[in-house]
């Protein structure tokens, strides 16, 4: 007989959706997330296209569904180490890294005030720093601090422990191993931005004012490094001219051979962020094709009407920096006019593509991935969201519901 429990790996919007859908059908679910919080990439976004609403509402609603459903067990800082068995009866070993902060934490923030050690804020893609003890992000679930022991300054441990009235800091916490028995597994491990440093000609990592589209989301966010003002990194001034470079890494046999599906829409959305901040900002989108599939075509019209966008059909050949002003000169061939374009701008946003989280890294035992790192589906092992292919949130959620149904079918079939 099949085990009637389901494991979901990855606690982004897809994994959360798969977990609540299965649990609301009265199946027990283990939700395993590698980071200290659920939420995944959507927690980093300012707004969702096409409605330009903040992702917080949807996340909050789903967190409530998790909190009120005893069938879901959440493990954070957790990774799958091994999978054995087959459809209907898997045995999974999960390793849980120590958080050094226990359930007593009220997220009061007193420890953070006295902590001197700092670490790079990976949630802001290096655009800010956090203290060694920190809340992963304002929409964290669980809403609990985490300690990075390697970032502590001398005397920090005594200071933070003295500041905590709730006895929540436990520096002696040890890694744990949990053995789970489940009937089906859903991989919802999502995506990571393609490493823009690999795109030599585009200057990312060398020129301060070349940023990625995910960094742009953090700059636009009220909880981001600039409190929601889009400022260029070199001098913290608001850019008056901004270029977007589409297909940065995508649709390129030397990098990601596929279309990342969402980056045209993301650049249109970010053009609206810029237009909202300053009606005079001029935007240049360098593209191969603008892809706004299905009903998103309307969003293209909206961006065209509301923002001062110049569309230039041409692949960017190179980006150079003016060392005096830190402005950038973007060179491309306009394929419609046949002319070479050299556009000076204050800031460049690279529309970097989505690479599956499991690409170029350690693939958990038992899961099969294709040549690009997307999860292959088989009986008992399903995948949803961007672990499966590049997707927007709406379609990710649809694939998550479908994966929950497939997992239940595996269990019911025995
Ligand atoms: C610049 C940009 C803007 C975007 N804007 C929008 C928008 O406005 N509207 C829209 O619809 N879509 C947007 N998207 C797309 C959106 O981000 C994705 O559709 C969404 O993140 C997919 O969710 P997911 O849960 O599949 O993956 P993710 O959000 O990546 O979540 C995956 C989760 O799995 C965890 N994980 C990874 N590996 C492991 C592992 N081995 N073990 C355990 N856990 C693991 C991760 O930590 C993460 O929490 C945008 C994308 C980009 C690049
Ligand atoms: S660890 Fe203690 S001091 Fe720090 S946020 Fe949690 S409860 Fe507050
Ligand atoms: S969505 Fe647009 S920018 Fe992204 S890879 Fe496809 S065509 Fe290029």
């Amino acid at each position: 007989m099949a085990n009637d429990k389901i494991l979901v790996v990855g606690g982004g919007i897809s994994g959360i959706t798969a977990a609540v859908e299965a649990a609301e059908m009265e199946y027990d679910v283990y939700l395993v997330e590698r980071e200290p919080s659920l939420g995944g990439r959507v927690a980093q976004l300012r707004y969702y296209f096409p409605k330009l609403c903040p992702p917080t509402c949807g996340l909050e609603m789903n967190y409530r569904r998790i909190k009120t459903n005893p069938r879901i067990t959440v493990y954070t800082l957790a990774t799958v180490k091994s999978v054995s068995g087959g459809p209907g009866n898997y045995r999974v070993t999960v390793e849980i890294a120590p958080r050094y902060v226990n359930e007593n934490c009220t997220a009061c923030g007193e420890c953070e005030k006295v902590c001197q050690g700092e670490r790079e804020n990976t949630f802001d893609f290096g655009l800010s720093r956090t203290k060694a003890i920190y809340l992963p992000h304002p929409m964290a679930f669980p809403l609990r601090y985490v300690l990075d022991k390697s970032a502590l300054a001398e005397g920090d441990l005594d200071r933070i422990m003295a500041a905590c009235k709730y006895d929540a800091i436990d520096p002696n916490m040890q890694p744990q191993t949990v053995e789970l028995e489940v009937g089906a597994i859903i991989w919802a491990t999502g995506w990571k931005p393609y490493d823009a440093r690999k795109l030599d000609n585009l200057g990312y990592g060398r020129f301060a004012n070349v940023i990625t589209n995910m960094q742009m989301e953090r700059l636009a966010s009220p909880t981001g490094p600039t409190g929601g003002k889009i400022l260029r990194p070199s001098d913290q001034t608001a850019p008056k001219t901004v270029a977007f470079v589409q297909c940065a890494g995508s649709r390129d046999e030397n990098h990601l051979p596929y279309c990342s599906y969402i980056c045209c829409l993301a650049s249109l959305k970010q053009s609206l962020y810029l237009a909202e901040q300053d009606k005079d900002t001029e935007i240049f989108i360098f593209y191969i094709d603008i892809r706004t599939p299905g009903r998103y075509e309307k969003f293209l019209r909206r961006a065209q009407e509301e923002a001062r966008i110049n569309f230039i059909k041409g692949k960017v050949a190179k980006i150079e920096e003016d060392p005096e002003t830190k402005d950038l000169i973007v060179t491309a061939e306009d394929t419609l006019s046949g002319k070479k374009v050299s556009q000076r701008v204050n800031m460049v946003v690279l529309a970097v593509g989505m690479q599956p989280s499991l690409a170029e890294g350690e693939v958990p035992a038992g899961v099969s991935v294709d040549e690009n790192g997307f999860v292959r589906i088989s009986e008992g092992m399903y995948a949803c969201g961007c672990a499966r292919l590049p997707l927007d949130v709406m379609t990710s959620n649809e694939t998550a519901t479908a994966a929950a149904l497939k997992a239940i079918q595996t269990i019911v079939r025995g």
Side-chain angles (χ1 to χ4, degrees), residues 14 187-194 249-251 255-263 353-364 366-378 381-392 396 399:
S14 306
W187 296 92
T189 42
W191 62 278
K192 55 188 172 188
Y194 186 66
S250 304
R251 303 173 69 193
H255 299 281
L256 307 176
Y258 50 86
C259 168
S260 290
Y261 185 78
I262 49 75
C263 18
M354 296 206 270
Q355 190 170 30
S357 294
L358 301 185
E360 295 173 351
E362 200 187 320
V363 176
V367 60
S368 164
V369 296
D370 70 13
E371 65 283 9
N372 296 310
F374 292 106
V375 176
R376 283 200 184 99
I377 286 176
S378 57
M381 287 263 199
Y382 303 104
C384 60
C386 297
R388 176 108 176 76
L389 75 169
L391 289 176
D392 59 348
S396 290
T399 63

Side-chain angles (χ1 to χ4, degrees), residues 41 44 118-130 136 193 197 204-205 208 210-212 214-219 224-226 233 236:
R41 298 283 172 202
Q44 293 170 298
E118 289 186 351
R119 58 181 277 286
E120 186 184 279
N121 188 353
T122 45
F123 191 75
D124 280 348
F125 299 97
L127 292 171
S128 69
R129 297 182 70 73
T130 72
R197 284 183 178 80
Y204 183 78
V210 177
I211 65 168
T212 66
M214 281 307 281
Q215 287 180 314
M216 179 65 150
E217 292 291 333
R218 295 312 300 145
L219 286 177
T226 50
Q236 300 298 307

Side-chain angles (χ1 to χ4, degrees), residues 9-16 32-35 37-42 45 47-50 78-80 187-192 213-214 217 262-263 265-266 269-270 273 296 352-354 357-358 362 364 384-387 390-394 396:
V9 188
I13 196 69
S14 306
I16 293 173
V32 167
E33 167 58 48
R34 153 183 87 173
E35 296 295 323
S37 165
L38 301 185
R41 298 283 172 202
V42 302
L45 303 178
Y47 287 130
Y48 278 156
F49 57 70
T79 40
V80 171
W187 296 92
T189 42
W191 62 278
K192 55 188 172 188
N213 47 6
M214 281 307 281
E217 292 291 333
I262 49 75
C263 18
L265 288 155
K269 173 179 71 165
Q270 295 177 351
Y273 297 167
Y296 286 134
V352 172
M354 296 206 270
S357 294
L358 301 185
E362 200 187 320
C384 60
C386 297
L391 289 176
D392 59 348
V393 171
M394 190 180 68
S396 290

Side-chain angles (χ1 to χ4, degrees), residues 51 88-89 98 105-106 114 130 163 168 217 270 296 301 316 331 412:
K51 288 193 178 158
N89 283 293
C105 178
T106 62
V114 298
T130 72
E217 292 291 333
Q270 295 177 351
Y296 286 134
R301 302 276 165 267
V316 170
T331 305
V412 171

Side-chain angles (χ1 to χ4, degrees), residues 101 104-111 133 145 163-166 168-169:
V101 176
N104 295 344
C105 178
T106 62
C108 69
E110 290 303 315
C111 52
I133 191 158
Y145 274 57
C164 182
K165 290 192 221 109
Y166 303 94
I169 302 169

Side-chain angles (χ1 to χ4, degrees), residues 152-380:
L152 284 170
E154 214 181 314
D156 262 351
L157 200 52
D158 291 340
R159 275 189 293 274
I160 61 173
M161 289 189 70
C164 182
K165 290 192 221 109
Y166 303 94
D167 202 19
I169 302 169
D170 177 0
N172 298 317
M173 231 177 234
Q174 296 296 316
Q176 275 180 293
T177 302
V178 182
E179 301 288 342
L180 304 175
E181 287 181 358
V182 295
I185 303 177
I186 298 172
W187 296 92
T189 42
W191 62 278
K192 55 188 172 188
Y194 186 66
D195 182 0
R197 284 183 178 80
K198 292 184 183 166
L199 308 165
D200 292 340
N201 55 331
L202 302 182
Y204 183 78
R206 283 184 292 129
F207 306 147
N209 295 324
V210 177
I211 65 168
T212 66
N213 47 6
M214 281 307 281
Q215 287 180 314
M216 179 65 150
E217 292 291 333
R218 295 312 300 145
L219 286 177
S221 170
T223 64
T226 50
K229 270 197 162 292
I230 301 167
L231 305 175
R232 65 178 202 159
S234 69
D235 53 10
Q236 300 298 307
T237 57
K240 289 281 179 194
T241 47
V242 178
F244 286 86
V245 178
Q246 298 309 113
C247 303
S250 304
R251 303 173 69 193
D252 183 335
E253 286 302 326
N254 297 317
H255 299 281
L256 307 176
Y258 50 86
C259 168
S260 290
Y261 185 78
I262 49 75
C263 18
C264 280
L265 288 155
S267 294
L268 295 171
K269 173 179 71 165
Q270 295 177 351
S271 301
L272 292 173
Y273 297 167
L274 287 159
E276 192 186 321
Q277 173 166 296
D278 181 344
K279 295 276 175 258
D280 294 331
T281 302
E282 199 161 3
I283 294 142
F284 302 89
I285 298 185
F286 291 86
Y287 70 98
I288 303 176
D289 318 285
I290 292 289
R291 294 189 173 174
T292 51
R295 286 186 296 170
Y296 286 134
E297 191 68 12
K298 242 171 129 180
F299 188 63
L300 171 62
R301 302 276 165 267
R302 174 172 171 190
Q304 283 169 326
E305 279 160 21
E306 288 190 26
R308 292 193 63 188
I309 310 178
N310 303 280
F311 288 92
I312 301 154
K313 188 170 170 67
K315 197 171 161 75
V316 170
K318 63 177 176 187
I319 296 176
E320 293 159 298
E321 186 191 57
D322 174 344
E324 296 266 302
T325 61
K326 304 289 179 201
D327 280 352
L328 302 149
I329 296 104
V330 181
T331 305
E333 191 191 297
D334 183 333
T335 54
L336 296 181
S337 67
K339 287 190 185 137
K340 188 175 147 189
V341 180
S342 252
Q343 183 64 52
R344 175 181 278 265
V345 289
N346 300 143
M347 191 165 92
V348 168
V349 182
L350 303 182
V352 172
M354 296 206 270
Q355 190 170 30
S357 294
L358 301 185
E360 295 173 351
E362 200 187 320
V363 176
V367 60
S368 164
V369 296
D370 70 13
E371 65 283 9
N372 296 310
F374 292 106
V375 176
R376 283 200 184 99
I377 286 176
S378 57
E379 176 67 35

